[in-house]
Amino acid sequence: MEEPSAQPPAILAGDAEREQSTQLLSQAVVEGRLTLEEFSDRVERAQAARTRDELATLTRDLPAAPTGPTTSSELVPAQQRHVAFCSRLVRSGPWELAARSEFRSIFGTITLDLSQARLAGSEVDLEIFNLFGTVTVIVPESVDVSVSGGGMFASQVIQPHTSPPVAGAPKLRINARGPGGTLYVRAKST
């Protein structure tokens, strides 16, 4: 009778290893290898990982270090401007969000689903001008979001994420301005 081969015990992961995995995942977003939704899912699993093997499965399909010249910032334009004038504009699915993007809603409706968006860098500025329109920005968990600005007769409905962003998460800065209108910032509904 053969004895079963003994597997070495799993090595427990430390906080530094979890943080290193998160940094690698964040870099993968900037390079266009992961969508924000994939990043959010993997970061959540990294934070809950108990062993090094669990962490390794989350980054196995990614290069161990930045690959060099082909970064998302070279593939995505530096600045973009979009307008919904008495109309509706919806951006969802795979799309590219420039380092500085401006969206203008003039008596219109804009919906921006960032779940599968590719970012131009680790920090992105989203300028929203809203003149009596409605703008909805859908941001996956684990993305660091800040909202500033506003305007006369304007309202903002900011739905906080269920957990704070992790260190090294991509940063999305939303600056809202303009009279009237409503800005909604929320997580993707499941």
Side-chain angles (χ1 to χ4, degrees):
M1 220 189 221
E2 283 185 36
E3 289 190 28
S5 60
Q7 292 219 356
I11 298 174
L12 296 176
D15 290 339
E17 292 163 315
R18 285 185 198 86
E19 186 174 324
Q20 181 181 9
S21 293
T22 300
Q23 294 292 332
L24 188 59
L25 293 169
S26 181
Q27 182 64 34
V29 169
V30 172
E31 293 174 349
R33 297 178 192 281
L34 294 175
T35 65
L36 288 176
E37 189 171 54
E38 291 168 324
F39 169 79
S40 181
D41 176 59
R42 289 186 189 200
V43 164
E44 185 178 311
R45 294 187 338 208
Q47 296 300 313
R50 298 260 311 129
T51 66
R52 287 181 176 173
D53 289 340
E54 290 172 358
L55 286 176
T57 61
L58 299 174
T59 58
R60 188 165 285 139
D61 58 346
L62 302 173
T67 57
T70 310
T71 63
S72 183
S73 61
E74 294 172 1
L75 302 173
V76 179
Q79 186 170 348
Q80 294 177 334
R81 185 176 186 189
H82 307 275
V83 178
F85 179 73
C86 298
S87 62
R88 182 172 186 217
L89 170 66
V90 177
R91 296 299 308 256
S92 63
W95 63 290
E96 300 171 346
L97 187 62
R100 184 177 182 282
S101 294
E102 184 176 343
F103 288 84
R104 295 173 148 291
S105 175
I106 302 168
F107 299 100
T109 301
I110 297 176
T111 302
L112 305 174
D113 184 347
L114 303 181
S115 301
Q116 295 182 38
R118 188 172 77 203
L119 302 181
S122 59
E123 296 185 12
V124 172
D125 292 312
L126 188 56
E127 299 288 328
I128 306 280
F129 177 81
N130 196 356
L131 177 64
F132 296 104
T134 302
V135 177
T136 302
V137 182
I138 302 166
V139 184
E141 292 283 339
S142 302
V143 175
D144 188 356
V145 180
S146 63
V147 180
S148 63
M152 188 173 13
F153 307 117
S155 61
Q156 296 179 358
V157 180
I158 313 300
Q159 175 192 7
H161 290 303
T162 56
S163 59
V166 295
K171 294 182 187 325
L172 176 66
R173 291 185 295 260
I174 300 172
N175 181 31
R177 58 190 175 83
T182 303
L183 170 66
Y184 296 96
V185 179
R186 63 178 176 83
K188 185 169 183 138
S189 302
T190 54

